[in-house]
Structures are given as C-alpha cells and as structure tokens.
Amino acid sequence: MLLLGPALLLAASGLSLALAVNPGDALTRNSIRLSLAWYLAALLAMLFCRAEDWSAETPRGALARWCWTWAVVCFIVHLGLAFHFVHGWSHSRAFEKTLRVAGVGEGVYVSYLFTVLWLVDLLCWWLAPRRYAARSVWIDRTLHAFMLFIVFNGSVVYEAGPIRWVALVSFGVLAACYYSARWRPRWSARSSWEV
C-alpha cells in the first residue's frame, strides 16, 4: 500500500499530461477522481472493520487507514493543482468560482473546513491509533455525515455527465454495503457505522 498510492498518482498524472488537450484541467480533475476512488475504498474497508481493526494493527485496519491516507494525499494534491491551474493561487478567485457554481461564495470556507477536518482525522489515526480506535462513534458519524454531504454535492449535484453517474453508482454501492454490514452479526466494540 505504501507504493500503490504514489504509483497510481503518478500514473494518473502521466496520462493526464500525455493525453489531455488541457493538461492542467485534466490533472486537476483526475487527482480528485483518484482521491474519491481512494475515499470510496476507505469507506468500504471501514464498513467491515471490527473493534480490533481500528487501531490499524490488523491487515483490515491497516488497509482502511492506507486507503484513507491516499484519499487525503490525492485530495491535497488536487487542491494544489486547483489553486494553481484554476484559481491562480487567489482566494478571491476561488471565492468567485464557488459563488458561480454553488451560488454561495462562502462555500469555499466549507471546503477549507472539509480539508482541515479530513487532515486532522488522518493525523489522529496515524499519531494516536489506539486513541483513535477508542473515540466516540459520534465523532465518526458527524465527520462522515459532513464529508458525505460535501462529496455528494461536489460529485453529483454540481457535476454533470459520466462522473455524476459514476458517483451515483458509488453512493448506491456504499449504501448497499452499509446496510449489509449493519445487519451482520455485531462485534462487541466500536464500529462507527452501527446504529
């Protein structure tokens, strides 16, 4: 997993540069697509984590944490590419673009909050895995509800074409797996997905 993340990021970047008419746009779009693929893989892995997996000391837990890690890394790369190629490193241009797309320029601050929360969550999982495993399920529920809301809006509401359909199918798969995992025999400790 340590090498798979960079390999996929390099492959996506290389193909974007080699095949795209507008390489900057392709790099920006493909980096978020890769981030979302890792995000989906991480969520699916998390759905089937048992209490002992959350400290990432088991193969299942380590897999979930690595997928989460590469999702965040690809997202940070996407942000850098978006600010470089789309916004010209200008917060005001990012604000204006958010205003045009979403109708609320202040939505850019929600994107910043999304980034900070996701990065903090990842750092907590790496720096204090046992504490991460023992935290309240309400932290997970709140974080994932917020993140899924943002991802749904970004990939379904404000997108069009094939990416919207891929996102809808992905959300359908995630929902089916959630309900499948929810009805399996329960383990005794933390699962952020159980009610």
Side-chain angles (χ1 to χ4, degrees), residues 40-114:
L40 178 63
L43 291 180
L44 291 172
M46 287 176 190
L47 280 173
F48 297 97
C49 280
R50 292 178 252 184
E52 64 271 14
D53 299 325
W54 286 100
S55 63
E57 295 172 357
T58 64
R60 182 180 302 162
L63 174 68
R65 186 171 66 179
W66 274 112
C67 290
W68 199 238
T69 300
W70 292 123
V72 173
V73 168
C74 291
F75 185 74
I76 299 297
V77 168
H78 164 74
L79 282 179
L81 292 168
F83 265 89
H84 181 72
F85 290 112
V86 179
H87 308 305
W89 296 104
S90 167
H91 166 74
S92 59
R93 283 178 61 183
F95 186 94
E96 291 167 12
K97 169 104 188 223
T98 306
L99 179 61
R100 277 193 315 274
V101 172
V104 181
E106 290 80 3
V108 75
Y109 297 111
V110 176
S111 295
Y112 296 158
L113 177 63
F114 176 92

Side-chain angles (χ1 to χ4, degrees), residues 63-187:
L63 174 68
R65 186 171 66 179
W66 274 112
C67 290
W68 199 238
T69 300
W70 292 123
V72 173
V73 168
C74 291
F75 185 74
I76 299 297
V77 168
H78 164 74
L79 282 179
L81 292 168
F83 265 89
H84 181 72
F85 290 112
V86 179
H87 308 305
W89 296 104
S90 167
H91 166 74
S92 59
R93 283 178 61 183
F95 186 94
E96 291 167 12
K97 169 104 188 223
T98 306
L99 179 61
R100 277 193 315 274
V101 172
V104 181
E106 290 80 3
V108 75
Y109 297 111
V110 176
S111 295
Y112 296 158
L113 177 63
F114 176 92
T115 305
V116 168
L117 290 175
W118 199 5
L119 188 57
V120 166
D121 186 72
L122 174 68
L123 291 173
C124 288
W125 204 354
W126 277 101
L127 299 175
R130 290 191 179 161
R131 196 166 175 199
Y132 185 88
R135 74 182 186 182
S136 168
V137 297
W138 288 103
I139 294 172
D140 289 333
R141 290 178 183 164
T142 304
L143 176 70
H144 288 294
F146 172 70
M147 290 183 69
L148 286 167
F149 174 77
I150 299 301
V151 170
F152 184 84
N153 280 290
S155 61
V156 175
V157 175
Y158 298 116
E159 265 299 337
I163 193 68
R164 175 183 281 169
W165 293 106
V166 169
L168 282 170
V169 168
S170 297
F171 272 95
V173 167
L174 188 59
C177 288
Y178 169 78
Y179 285 106
S180 171
R182 186 169 175 226
W183 298 114
R184 75 182 186 275
R186 297 190 188 237
W187 288 277

